[in-house]
Amino acid sequence: MKQLYGSAIIVSGPSGVGKSTLCGKALQALPEIKFSISCTTRNPRGSEQNGVEYFFLSHQEFEKRIANDEFVEHAEVFGNYYGTLKSQLLDPVKNGYDVFLDIDIQGAMQIREACKKDQLLANVCEFIFIVPPSLQILEARLRGRATDSEEQLALRIGKAKHELSFANLYDYIIVNDNLELAAEEMLSLISSFKLSTKRRQWEE
Ligand code: 5GP
């Protein structure tokens, strides 16, 4: 059996859905998986380090990389640029490693479009969307954690509703109700990706 490529696992979900906790939990069990380090123009927070959580770039540097066609996708999120370098996605998968991308919906949809014109991308990408058990529960979670005003909260909830309308454009949906169960579902999806004939070939 010849393993041709790893998988590029693209994960999105609305804010408040618990995506970071869920992904963190699932990825702990997969030390060999690579994490795609995005570029961003936002400032580092807390203990974040350049080249670890993100590559922190100036607007000018980011725009230079757009002009050089270095991104497989890029988008503006909360007033800052975020983008995935082609090298971050393609280098690991070409070497047989899985790579994990935590990106927003605009970025995921750009990669979806790019897959239509690029066979290698189409062969390696898998799209997972995380949803809450219900809108009411998402709203309660957003209220619970936020120090937001009613107005900001209404904006977040409106945005989350809009984002949930994209769920069916992904390949897989994970409901984040029970964290343990959702993490197990993510792990079993990721291990099944390896078996796809898009990425492995039977050879005598
Ligand atoms: P944060 O600033 O909190 O780290 O991330 C904010 C949002 O940007 C999250 O929804 C995250 O998924 C998204 N994001 C992070 N990296 C990328 C990227 O490379 N491309 C896109 N399109 N979104 C990203």
Side-chain angles (χ1 to χ4, degrees):
M1 183 67 64
K2 193 170 169 196
Q3 194 74 33
L4 299 173
Y5 308 112
S7 319
I9 301 144
I10 295 152
V11 181
S12 317
S15 91
V17 80
K19 184 178 60 163
S20 317
T21 318
L22 169 57
C23 296
K25 192 158 183 60
L27 295 184
Q28 258 178 7
L30 298 170
E32 72 285 5
I33 203 167
K34 309 282 177 200
F35 194 86
S36 162
I37 304 171
S38 297
C39 297
T40 182
T41 56
R42 82 152 164 77
N43 291 323
R45 294 187 199 122
S47 61
E48 285 181 340
Q49 285 179 330
N50 189 38
V52 180
E53 288 83 3
Y54 284 103
F55 296 112
F56 294 99
L57 304 182
S58 67
H59 264 81
Q60 203 183 6
E61 281 169 324
F62 200 104
E63 281 170 359
K64 200 170 122 196
R65 285 173 184 254
I66 298 175
N68 287 344
D69 200 23
E70 290 181 42
F71 292 109
V72 62
E73 63 78 28
H74 64 87
E76 224 180 295
V77 186
F78 308 126
N80 277 301
Y81 279 133
Y82 289 79
T84 307
L85 293 169
K86 288 178 182 170
S87 57
Q88 286 287 316
L89 191 163
L90 293 173
D91 291 353
V93 295
K94 283 184 188 165
N95 289 307
Y97 290 101
D98 291 342
V99 62
F100 192 89
L101 284 74
D102 169 352
I103 64 175
D104 87 323
I105 294 163
Q106 308 170 70
M109 292 300 107
Q110 283 178 37
I111 299 182
R112 249 294 188 237
E113 276 304 302
C115 285
K116 292 183 183 163
K117 297 186 209 111
D118 183 327
Q119 193 58 47
L120 173 61
L121 262 190
N123 282 345
V124 300
C125 290
E126 300 286 356
F127 295 83
I128 304 178
F129 198 81
I130 317 287
V131 299
S134 69
L135 252 183
Q136 287 75 8
I137 291 177
L138 182 70
E139 193 171 329
R141 284 182 190 166
L142 285 170
R143 278 184 191 282
R145 78 168 189 187
T147 46
D148 290 345
S149 64
E150 270 305 310
E151 198 184 348
Q152 282 171 321
L153 204 58
L155 277 176
R156 274 181 189 277
I157 292 164
K159 185 163 186 253
K161 274 189 194 166
H162 172 69
E163 289 178 334
L164 282 167
S165 69
F166 287 84
N168 294 332
L169 298 175
Y170 283 67
D171 300 320
Y172 304 91
I173 297 177
I174 294 181
V175 181
N176 191 14
D177 187 3
N178 175 318
L179 179 64
E180 304 292 328
L181 185 65
E184 262 175 44
E185 287 178 344
M186 185 175 283
L187 284 176
S188 56
L189 264 184
I190 293 174
S191 58
S192 72
F193 290 159
K194 287 195 191 355
L195 313 183
S196 168
T197 49
K198 289 194 290 182
R199 290 175 286 271
R200 69 182 351 195
Q201 236 171 34
W202 167 248
E203 276 181 351
E204 292 220 29

